[in-house]
């Protein structure tokens, strides 16, 4: 599985993060915390203003 939280292991920033613009319009963002038996639900504000900056990866917004 792939999770945005897996970016914390990409210290050399070899992974490019693409996010569909429609996802950013939602109230919440859900993902796995690098284990498939659990899920994390964040407000979109916490996701974009706290988590993404903490991960240190540039975000490219795409329109799919």
């Amino acid at each position: 599985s792939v999770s945005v939280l897996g970016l914390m292991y990409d210290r050399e920033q070899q992974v490019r993060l693409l996010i569909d613009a429609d996802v950013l319009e939602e109230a919440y963002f859900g993902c796995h915390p690098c284990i498939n038996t659990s899920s994390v639900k964040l407000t979109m504000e916490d996701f974009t203003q706290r988590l993404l900056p903490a991960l240190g990866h540039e975000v490219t917004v795409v329109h799919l």
Side-chain angles (χ1 to χ4, degrees):
S1 72
V2 176
S3 173
V4 70
L5 293 177
L7 292 174
M8 70 180 125
Y9 300 110
D10 180 32
R11 293 190 174 110
E12 290 83 31
Q13 296 194 2
Q14 296 179 351
V15 176
R16 183 173 174 195
L17 177 59
L18 305 174
I19 298 179
D20 183 9
D22 289 340
V23 170
L24 297 174
E25 298 297 320
E26 298 295 325
Y28 295 96
F29 181 84
C31 62
H32 293 295
C34 298
I35 185 169
N36 292 351
T37 57
S38 300
S39 295
V40 174
K41 181 179 176 182
L42 303 167
T43 65
M44 191 57 69
E45 182 178 354
D46 282 344
F47 176 67
T48 58
Q49 302 299 317
R50 294 177 184 224
L51 179 62
L52 290 178
L55 292 172
H57 281 67
E58 182 178 333
V59 176
T60 300
V61 178
V62 295
H63 299 274
L64 301 177

